[in-house]
Amino acid sequence: MTVAVFSFYLFAVVLITAAVLVITSKNPVHSVLWLIVCFFNAGGLFILLGAEFLAMLLVIVYVGAVAVLFLFVVMMLDIDFATLRRGFLSYLPLGLVVAGVILGEVLFAVGSWVPGRGVMMFDELVSAPDGMTNTQWIGSVLYTRYLFVFQAAGLVLLVSMIGAIVLTHRQRVGTKRQNIGQQVARTPANAVHPAQPGIGQGIDL
Amino acid sequence: MTFTGWFQSHLGDGLGWFVGTTVLILAIVLPVMVGVAMAVYADRKIWAAMQMRRGPNVVGPFGLLQTFADAAKLFLKETIIPSGASREVFLIAPMISFVLALAIWAVMPFDAGLVLADLNVGLLYVFAVSSMGVYGIIMSGWASNSKYPFLGGLRSAAQMVSYEVSMGFILVAVMLYAQSLNLSDIVMAQKGNVLGFLNGNVFNPLLFPMAIMFFITALAETNRPPFDLPEAEAELVAGYQVEYSSMSFALFFLGEYANILFMCALIPVLFLGGWLPPLDWAPLYYIPGFVWMLSKMAFMFFCFAWVKAAVPRYRYDQLMRLGWKVFLPLSLFWVVVVSGWLMFFTDKFATVPGSVTL
């Protein structure tokens, strides 16, 4: 057994175990932590495929940013999994039907897939051309041949980001905000006035 | 013959590689640990000097062994795990902090060719590992099941995620200039890149603002003052470390300083020309590159300690404002400026390697 094969099975087994633990663990925070283990091992699988750029991006984006926010939200929520699981048996048939439909679709999609036909990159899987790293290769394809698709994907993300902000942002009345420019522009001339109150008198502010 | 090659010829292919690599890892980790001990001592001495005190001066000559004495004392303390804590997460958190702080050193080039893993995505590796560092803190904050650590963990997670964004843009500018993600290539791209005789991106007017911003972002990323909100002792006692004692606390402490030292090494690699002398002048190359690298690290560490002694702590909303409303737009705009300059005034992006013309 070579090192690569051993690493593949190691990453795959840990990934699937962690994925099962995501849905079975009792504590929601532990679920998210197992999900992070999942992401990390998927990054390991990418490295075995020779796609080190994607692996690093997966770790940076999913582990470093997305999962942190997940963890943030889940830590703040008061979720009791016991009450959530109460109707488990009554929902089980419906869940199985949904799972079966998705499984069938995946089987059809994978079964009819011929490598290299849908994606017009190269006719077969090849390694990067000489003198080019994996990263440069992805960039040179993404920003030339697939430029418009890539930009369209960016626009979709932009729209969803703006949508999320519009939906959650609310202007509360009566909040006090700091105006940094105003504070910096304040000088002793317009902030301090000397006063010499007489004995027994106060000053008017 | 390479170093691991020598082991492979004596011990066989697989075992030799394993032994050779393990020796190399130890050859980086042990000096880093000693460096951390010395950095803690240097930190305390520098603050003391700036506050007209003497600092540690009792244990060993000039107090040099003070850190080792502190570590030995921590070793002998009892490990306390709070009864309400989530045991596994509570114990794993400091290990994550410490292991990641050491793993990040794997791609650091100390001299030409003197690097453990010469990854072609080295800078992304650095970014990935440093962005995972937040888990040690957020997990410890949650697992302690106590208010102050939880608040400290939340603060720290928000702070590190916020500053990572602008840090990413700064790295993009540097890697556009060097046209590589490999740290050694980034250093070599700085050789004589300003006026033909100055080594280092920091002398380049286009990248100088990036260098300043990266220094400030590095302070925020490593939770150093003036951005040490996660452990602000006046508000949160010690933040996420409150419930930790003995070696689990020591792991956090060592990991934190290993991260700081790494940032002190990364700034020279990205902006100060790494192991190259500041001037591209032949006599300066007689000084070994390793010495240049270490002296630049020491200079950066002095700056880190200097900032701590000189600047008061930020308020949390001001910290967030600085990250999102000042640094993020500024670095994003500057990436556009740098890439526009490279596109229209240099021939760096006329073609990409391979055959695709732009």
Side-chain angles (χ1 to χ4, degrees), chain A residues 30 52 63 67 132 178 180, chain B residues 86 120 135 150 315 321 353:
Chain A
H30 289 174
E52 69 269 13
V63 178
M132 243 174 144
Q178 209 180 0
I180 302 287
Chain B
S86 174
N120 57 16
Y135 284 112
F150 188 61
R315 213 173 63 203
R321 178 182 162 273

Side-chain angles (χ1 to χ4, degrees), chain A residues 27 29-30 33 36 40 52-53 56 59-60 63-64 67-68 71-72 75-76 131-133 135-136 144 178 180, chain B residues 86 89 120-121 124-125 127-128 131-132 134-135 138 142 150 154 157 161 181 315 317-318 321 353 356 358:
Chain A
N27 192 323
V29 174
H30 289 174
L33 292 176
I36 292 158
F40 189 73
E52 69 269 13
F53 179 70
M56 290 303 155
V59 173
I60 291 170
V63 178
V68 172
L71 200 57
F72 230 77
M75 271 163 47
M76 297 293 208
M132 243 174 144
T133 62
T135 319
Q136 287 170 322
T144 53
Q178 209 180 0
I180 302 287
Chain B
S86 174
V89 182
N120 57 16
V121 287
L124 284 181
Y125 173 84
F127 198 54
S131 68
M132 274 160 61
V134 66
Y135 284 112
I138 197 169
W142 177 79
F150 188 61
L154 288 184
V161 169
L181 289 167
R315 213 173 63 203
D317 61 321
Q318 290 173 335
R321 178 182 162 273
V356 191
L358 293 174

Side-chain angles (χ1 to χ4, degrees), chain B residues 196-213:
Chain B
F197 67 94
L198 290 171
N199 296 334
N201 283 332
V202 72
F203 302 116
N204 187 334
L206 211 52
L207 286 175
F208 178 72
M210 288 301 207
I212 302 292
M213 275 161 65

